[in-house]
Amino acid sequence: MGFLDNLFGNNKRDRSAQVAKERLLTVLVHDRVKLTPDMLEQLKIELSEVIARYVPNVNPSEIDVSLLRGDSSDHLKADVPLRRTPPTGGNESDRASARFDSR
Amino acid sequence: MARVITVTSGKGGVGKTTTTANLGTALARYGARVALIDADIGLRNLDVVMGLENRIVYDLVDVIEGRARVRQALIKDKRLPEMYLMPAAQTRDKDAVNAEDMIALANEMHTDFDYILIDSPAGIESGFRNAIACANEVLIVTTPEVPSVRDADRVVGLVEASEKGPPRLIINRIKPRLVSRGEMLSVDEVVEILAIEPIGVVPEDEVILSSTNRGEAAVFNAQSIAGRAFDDIARRLRGEEVPFMDMSEQPGVLERWFGGLFRRRAKA
Ligand SMILES: Nc1ncnc2c1ncn2[C@@H]1O[C@H](COP(=O)(O)OP(=O)(O)OP(=O)(O)O)[C@@H](O)[C@H]1O
Ligand SMILES: [Mg+2]
């Protein structure tokens, strides 16, 4: 049946139950962590302060924080662009990534 | 001392009232003294599901506001002499009751019953909080659908934070055929996602509709598969070890052999 399913485009990943499970697991990462927009802003500001002690040119408004589901744990991922000095024009920047386990 | 068990869900319409009526009836049929409390103030329904709507004189809010004694408000079941219903007020809103009122009520009823089952309103607001305030145990009902499971997860978090002990899960309206086709979340998947102990699985069953029409719990109907599932849950509540029903019903022979072809046709 697996072979036929693949042949006819009915492989397991396309089934709606599988899609439902993936979507639920992802949305629940966000629900469970309960990071409000205010907390998120504060997190970015404090993060940039800490990082600025070690690395120059961090702008809190450019930090991108996201929650991701991993296999054994969930992750809070922060993407911290570092502006190049002197500015090379445009929005070009090197990016430093930091990962923190969210549980 | 009664065990006070609240049936709640987060999302509305997933089967809390149906579950409360059936579990209460099943427990009473095993000889337990059972009180059902409808905590869905303003949207009372347990009375009609139980077929007791014509006997209401006083309600929960009358008791809490001192216009009636507990004994006066409790309605005796039509068939089971050891089962009683405390109806919700229909013309009031949920602010007529608070958590302390519910705790006081449960304390007053404790010695007269073996089980007090509370039918919670949907949501996570004060009505829900009142309904779990006096519970020693919480049962969370969900259907195998994304919005319902998501809301159930919220309620799991709130119940766990309220020191009630771990809530247990009832998965309602499962359709084995859809599960075997991969078009409905399976019991295992829902349990894995919510990570709480299941106490029962109830299949979709048309008898629920006809039973509700008549105001008689499905557990009275030996033909009802949902009725049997609720009976199993009642036995588990009583501490019996009852194996879970096999929900992995195979698709029909035609479906099995030609399912792929049919589905492809349908897509084209
Ligand atoms: N296993 C089942 N099979 C078929 N129908 C069901 C089943 N369980 C519940 N239903 C139907 O689903 C509907 C909602 O059920 P019910 O009133 O028990 O939900 P509820 O969670 O109490 O809703 P509310 O949040 O509005 O209080 C009813 O029409 C009921 O008959
Ligand atoms: Mg209800």
Side-chain angles (χ1 to χ4, degrees):
Chain A
M1 199 68 195
F3 166 73
L4 277 179
D5 275 353
N6 279 330
L7 197 64
F8 295 127
N10 275 313
N11 68 54
K12 231 182 152 198
R13 296 203 75 77
D14 287 344
R15 306 280 181 82
S16 70
Q18 188 61 31
V19 178
K21 185 180 174 186
E22 296 291 330
R23 292 178 58 222
L24 263 169
L25 288 170
T26 302
V27 78
L28 290 186
V29 173
H30 286 259
D31 288 358
R32 285 171 183 170
V33 171
K34 293 191 200 89
L35 215 50
T36 64
D38 281 356
M39 287 160 67
L40 192 64
E41 276 322 298
Q42 189 59 29
L43 173 69
K44 288 179 184 177
I45 290 167
E46 289 180 27
L47 212 49
S48 67
E49 284 167 5
V50 172
I51 293 171
R53 274 187 233 145
Y54 302 90
V55 191
N57 302 321
V58 178
N59 181 347
S61 66
E62 290 173 2
I63 296 179
D64 181 35
V65 171
S66 48
L67 293 169
L68 302 172
R69 184 166 61 89
D71 285 335
S72 55
S73 62
D74 302 325
H75 298 275
L76 185 151
K77 184 168 172 252
D79 192 354
V80 187
L82 304 177
R83 277 217 220 99
R84 282 182 183 150
T85 47
T88 53
N91 276 338
E92 251 183 292
S93 59
D94 297 323
R95 298 181 92 81
S97 250
R99 282 198 141 201
F100 306 91
D101 269 8
S102 63
R103 334 184 174 190
Chain B
M1 282 288 267
R3 283 167 67 185
V4 184
I5 305 175
T6 297
V7 180
T8 190
S9 68
K11 188 163 175 355
V14 298
K16 294 176 292 297
T17 302
T18 305
T19 298
T20 309
N22 278 284
L23 292 185
T25 305
L27 288 167
R29 289 178 86 206
Y30 287 112
R33 298 168 302 161
V34 177
L36 308 177
I37 300 180
D38 188 346
D40 200 347
I41 315 279
L43 291 170
R44 83 171 165 218
N45 265 330
L46 192 52
D47 56 333
V48 284
V49 172
M50 298 294 297
L52 298 172
E53 67 275 16
N54 292 330
R55 307 184 186 195
I56 297 178
V57 182
Y58 296 108
D59 59 46
L60 179 63
V61 175
D62 291 323
V63 172
I64 281 165
E65 294 182 347
R67 281 184 299 275
R69 316 285 312 258
V70 169
R71 191 183 297 263
Q72 291 175 293
L74 285 171
I75 306 165
K76 197 191 195 105
D77 186 61
K78 292 174 294 191
R79 295 171 71 162
L80 298 166
E82 298 287 0
M83 180 160 65
Y84 290 82
L85 168 70
M86 171 79 71
Q90 180 67 343
T91 54
R92 299 291 296 271
D93 67 44
K94 56 190 186 322
D95 299 326
V97 176
N98 64 35
E100 287 74 49
D101 296 330
M102 291 302 289
I103 292 168
L105 178 67
N107 281 341
E108 193 175 341
M109 295 170 66
H110 250 310
T111 47
D112 293 327
F113 296 97
D114 301 310
Y115 294 89
I116 299 175
L117 301 190
I118 301 176
D119 182 16
S120 161
I124 52 174
E125 310 292 315
S126 62
F128 154 77
R129 289 180 187 280
N130 294 340
I132 64 163
C134 55
N136 330 117
E137 295 167 58
V138 177
L139 305 181
I140 297 178
V141 183
T142 186
T143 61
E145 293 167 291
V146 173
S148 169
V149 175
R150 183 201 193 169
D151 291 358
D153 189 74
R154 275 283 270 151
V155 171
V156 170
L158 293 170
V159 172
E160 282 175 349
S162 72
E163 303 168 9
K164 295 288 169 197
R168 286 182 288 180
L169 183 67
I170 295 175
I171 303 172
N172 188 24
R173 306 196 78 159
I174 199 131
K175 297 179 182 164
R177 177 159 296 211
L178 285 187
V179 173
S180 65
R181 274 194 231 144
E183 302 294 354
M184 179 176 268
L185 286 167
S186 69
V187 171
D188 289 349
E189 285 167 326
V190 176
V191 169
E192 181 194 331
I193 292 166
L194 291 175
I196 63 170
E197 185 196 333
I199 189 171
V201 177
V202 183
E204 175 79 18
D205 183 357
E206 288 174 6
V207 175
I208 296 291
L209 175 61
S210 53
S211 304
T212 306
N213 285 343
R214 288 181 217 285
E216 275 176 16
V219 290
F220 282 120
N221 185 335
Q223 311 303 318
S224 167
I225 180 156
R228 264 181 285 149
F230 282 123
D231 194 75
D232 285 352
I233 298 173
R235 286 165 60 200
R236 291 188 195 108
L237 281 173
R238 285 161 47 85
E240 277 181 62
E241 286 225 3
V242 185
F244 277 72
M245 273 183 192
D246 184 11
M247 290 289 150
S248 61
E249 178 194 283
Q250 290 301 308
V253 174
L254 275 181
E255 163 86 14
R256 197 153 62 227
W257 286 99
F258 299 114
L261 287 172
F262 285 152
R263 275 197 291 273
R264 185 172 182 238
R265 199 69 64 68
K267 269 189 186 170

